[in-house]
Amino acid sequence: MIKVSPSILASDFSKLGDEIVSIVKGGAEYIHIDVMDGMFVPNMSIGPCIISSVRKVTDAVFDTHLMITDPIRYVEDFAKAGADIITFHFESCTNHSEVIDRIHSFGKKAGISIKPATPAFVLEPLLEKIDLILIMTVEPGFGGQSFIPETLESVKIVREMIKRLGLDSKVDIEVDGGITPQTAILAKKAGANVLVAGSAIFKAEDRKAAIEAIKNNE
């Protein structure tokens, strides 16, 4: 099943609750929440207090993407704030299994992400522990970037590894960066089933139509 996860990084933060409600009504299954610390990536964004506040307006899945150094420090904070999926970067730490176990200890789904230059094979030892793989299709840290076509090879490799291990029904493959109805077609063909989009949804006049186009275009 294809799921769409609109990134609130592209929303109007002055009315964030209303923005989230509008995309849920438009058919979004997930809400993608980018967390940046200004260290792992050269930008800063929201923290647990914002997540806790907007948790009150929807029961949609909060797909929380931690672009932070040493993520295990903040797993509990984001879990208690209302995150449903907590994804951290392979490049942000060395204690990957420990972070995954920490996320699972709070009853949350665990995801792991790689940057465009990181080879997909590094994820293979973790696949049986993980719930979601996030392949960055742009360099993490800023919204509105152009899709990097070469990242589709990582999507294909991860999908093949998952199939080989019989994990198709357990592990989702998510893509994030430059996703439009056109690039979504390529990502789905490569094996992605969760699509993060920011500007393509929040800047659209008809957000429901934008979500449907990303989800259903072939």
Side-chain angles (χ1 to χ4, degrees):
M1 176 184 175
I2 301 297
K3 305 180 186 76
V4 175
S5 186
S7 172
I8 63 170
L9 196 62
S11 70
D12 182 346
F13 272 58
S14 71
K15 49 181 181 179
L16 185 54
D18 291 340
E19 292 279 80
I20 289 172
V21 169
S22 77
I23 57 175
V24 172
K25 287 182 178 178
E29 291 84 4
Y30 292 175
I31 307 298
H32 193 79
I33 303 172
D34 288 306
V35 178
M36 298 177 277
D37 64 359
M39 295 173 62
F40 180 70
V41 292
N43 202 355
M44 297 181 71
S45 64
I46 66 177
C49 58
I50 301 297
I51 295 174
S52 181
S53 294
V54 295
R55 180 77 280 178
K56 300 170 187 175
V57 305
T58 182
D59 59 1
V61 173
F62 277 8
D63 174 23
T64 308
H65 178 193
L66 304 185
M67 290 175 273
I68 64 177
T69 300
D70 196 14
I72 199 167
R73 297 175 297 155
Y74 296 106
V75 167
E76 181 174 2
D77 292 336
F78 285 102
K80 290 183 175 179
D84 297 294
I85 304 168
I86 300 177
T87 298
F88 67 100
H89 268 264
F90 179 88
E91 305 90 352
S92 70
C93 61
T94 57
N95 57 336
H96 307 113
S97 288
E98 188 180 353
V99 178
I100 293 167
D101 290 342
R102 182 73 167 158
I103 294 168
H104 284 156
S105 75
F106 291 100
K108 308 299 181 178
K109 289 187 174 183
I112 191 163
S113 180
I114 56 171
K115 295 180 180 182
T118 301
F121 71 82
V122 301
L123 300 173
E124 189 163 12
L126 301 169
L127 291 180
E128 293 188 347
K129 297 190 68 170
I130 210 74
D131 302 291
L132 179 144
I133 301 294
L134 169 54
I135 306 295
M136 292 301 300
T137 45
V138 298
E139 288 296 333
F142 294 91
Q145 298 182 65
S146 297
F147 183 83
I148 301 173
E150 292 78 10
T151 58
L152 293 174
E153 188 61 29
S154 290
V155 177
K156 293 175 184 177
I157 291 169
V158 170
R159 178 56 69 190
E160 288 169 3
M161 290 192 295
I162 288 172
K163 284 183 178 179
R164 187 167 68 248
L165 293 170
L167 299 171
D168 264 339
S169 62
K170 177 184 181 293
V171 182
D172 287 320
I173 300 178
E174 183 173 64
V175 289
D176 179 4
I179 298 299
T180 65
Q182 292 71 39
T183 57
I185 295 170
L186 302 176
K188 287 182 283 189
K189 285 182 178 178
N193 67 298
V194 182
L195 307 170
V196 177
S199 301
I201 292 173
F202 281 103
K203 306 306 180 189
E205 290 186 13
D206 186 336
R207 292 177 176 177
K208 181 178 181 180
I211 290 169
E212 289 178 350
I214 289 169
K215 187 183 298 186
N216 297 320
N217 273 15
E218 296 181 0

